[in-house]
Amino acid sequence: MSEPIAAVVLRAAELTARGLPLQAIELLRPALVANPLHAEAWCRLAAAHLDAGEPDAAKRALVLGGDQAWAQRLTSLALTELGRHTEALVAARECVRRRPGDWRCQVVLAEALAAGGREPVGRGTATREATGGEAAGREAVEVAREATRLAPTEARPYQVLGDAALRLRDWGTAERAYRTALRLDPDADDVRANLATVRRKRGGAPVTAPSADALGAADALVWPALSRLAALLVAGGLVLTLAALPRPTPLLGWFSAALVAACLAVVARLLLGARGGTRRALLRLPRSRPLVAVVAAAFGLALVVLSGWSVALLLGAGTTQPLVVAWLCALLGGAVVVLRGGR
């Protein structure tokens, strides 16, 4: 019996991920009639109810036994949707207690704290309640920081950290968190909107982070330009190396300078040919495309060394070592371009 229910649970998870929670619920209910003690199936049913906007039904679907951390996490989400923040906070703390190394539990706790759930501050004035709320907000920031430490490559913890910091008016922390979340997930429009809000609150200009389409257009433009740079630097460097034997002359300095000028013309043509958001995306492309960053760094170093060597030749120097270094950097960048498939 375990194999059929396992297959049903897997199919229900796929339906929920595709945005079809009602079909997942219809699939799970008859399976749970035959397997009433299958804890994972109950948790999947609760998750489907949550996605369907039925938090009360989600809470009823949770059972004891099985993965308690998962059950408590879903319970906290359901109670938060119902507005029962204190109970949601209790469930979230229990989730963290059972599985402190799970970043999802930390995220749920941060959300419960930031949503208004806080532990009782005792009988007192409204000032004490406000103080308790501020303490809960600070704790939400710290818990979200822990989630980012546990999952540095996930965008969700950084988004929750930004939301918690935004509630405390900690603009610097919120902006840094939202920027990181956008770098990990460029399609998160809600994060982009919150980042613009933070910048307005700080008195700065709104941030228009490049969209995925702009980054794609920039990527399509940059590789042909990098291919031309590779051809210029590798071929030109090789010709200069051969011409410099056995000893370079000041005349080679002018040819080297011409090679640098040709490379800069390729870069200028790339930047001038891009428009609007694509040009901004070009400047930020190395952050999201590691291969672009590697090639740009190699070609940039080659141009700097080549420029210095040109000036040195014109001043009377007679060494070829900088030229060899520049050519090796160009060769490294050119190899990456070839392996990438640029033509």
Side-chain angles (χ1 to χ4, degrees):
M1 295 296 292
S2 60
E3 291 185 0
I5 187 66
V8 169
V9 169
L10 180 60
R11 175 61 178 160
E14 294 175 350
L15 289 171
T16 304
R18 288 165 49 195
L20 302 171
L22 295 179
Q23 294 186 20
I25 293 171
E26 294 177 359
L27 184 66
L28 285 167
R29 279 177 176 167
L32 282 167
V33 171
N35 300 269
L37 299 180
H38 198 283
E40 185 179 358
W42 282 109
C43 287
R44 284 294 178 192
L45 180 61
H49 277 298
L50 274 178
D51 283 353
E54 301 170 350
D56 226 347
K59 187 173 184 299
R60 290 194 301 269
L62 295 170
V63 295
L64 297 176
D67 189 344
Q68 285 295 298
W70 189 6
Q72 293 296 341
R73 179 157 56 92
L74 291 174
T75 299
S76 180
L77 291 172
L79 290 170
T80 299
E81 290 290 331
L82 292 171
R84 293 155 62 176
H85 300 301
T86 302
E87 297 172 75
L89 181 56
V90 171
R93 289 197 185 281
E94 179 62 19
C95 177
V96 171
R97 187 188 70 80
R98 291 180 177 275
R99 192 170 293 176
D102 190 335
W103 66 269
R104 296 174 182 83
C105 294
Q106 301 286 348
V107 163
V108 166
L109 177 55
E111 288 180 316
L113 287 163
R118 57 181 181 272
E119 293 167 295
V121 295
R123 295 179 181 177
T125 62
T127 302
R128 292 187 64 192
E129 293 181 357
T131 303
E134 185 178 350
R138 288 195 297 268
E139 185 182 358
V141 171
E142 294 306 316
V143 172
R145 286 188 195 277
E146 176 65 13
T148 62
R149 187 190 67 81
L150 292 172
T153 59
E154 296 288 340
R156 180 61 179 161
Y158 291 99
Q159 180 181 0
V160 173
L161 175 58
D163 294 343
L166 183 60
R167 290 174 180 267
L168 286 182
R169 298 179 180 273
D170 185 352
W171 310 127
T173 299
E175 181 173 352
R176 287 190 296 271
Y178 285 142
R179 283 185 179 277
T180 305
L182 272 179
R183 178 174 58 82
L184 295 171
D185 183 12
D187 295 329
D189 293 333
D190 51 343
V191 176
R192 186 174 292 107
N194 287 346
L195 180 56
T197 299
V198 170
R199 290 299 299 265
R200 285 197 301 271
K201 295 290 186 180
R202 298 186 72 179
V207 172
T208 55
S211 64
D213 291 339
L215 288 173
D219 188 77
L221 285 175
V222 78
W223 284 106
L226 292 177
S227 299
R228 287 190 287 271
L229 285 175
L232 283 172
L233 287 171
V234 174
L238 181 60
V239 170
L240 287 173
T241 301
L242 296 176
L245 298 177
R247 180 179 175 84
T249 63
L251 182 62
L252 280 181
W254 294 107
F255 286 102
S256 178
L259 177 60
V260 173
C263 293
L264 294 178
V266 172
V267 175
R269 180 182 178 185
L270 171 66
L271 293 176
L272 294 176
R275 292 288 182 270
T278 304
R279 183 179 299 175
R280 290 192 295 272
L282 276 174
L283 300 177
R284 300 188 184 187
L285 192 63
R287 298 182 182 180
S288 58
R289 302 291 195 275
L291 287 181
V292 173
V294 170
V295 176
F299 287 170
L301 182 58
L303 286 173
V304 170
V305 174
L306 200 58
S307 300
W309 183 70
S310 302
V311 174
L313 281 185
L314 293 175
L315 294 178
T319 180
T320 59
Q321 291 180 351
L323 175 60
V324 174
V325 172
W327 187 72
L328 289 176
C329 291
L331 194 62
L332 172 63
V336 175
V337 172
V338 172
L339 292 175
R340 165 62 170 70
R343 293 190 298 271

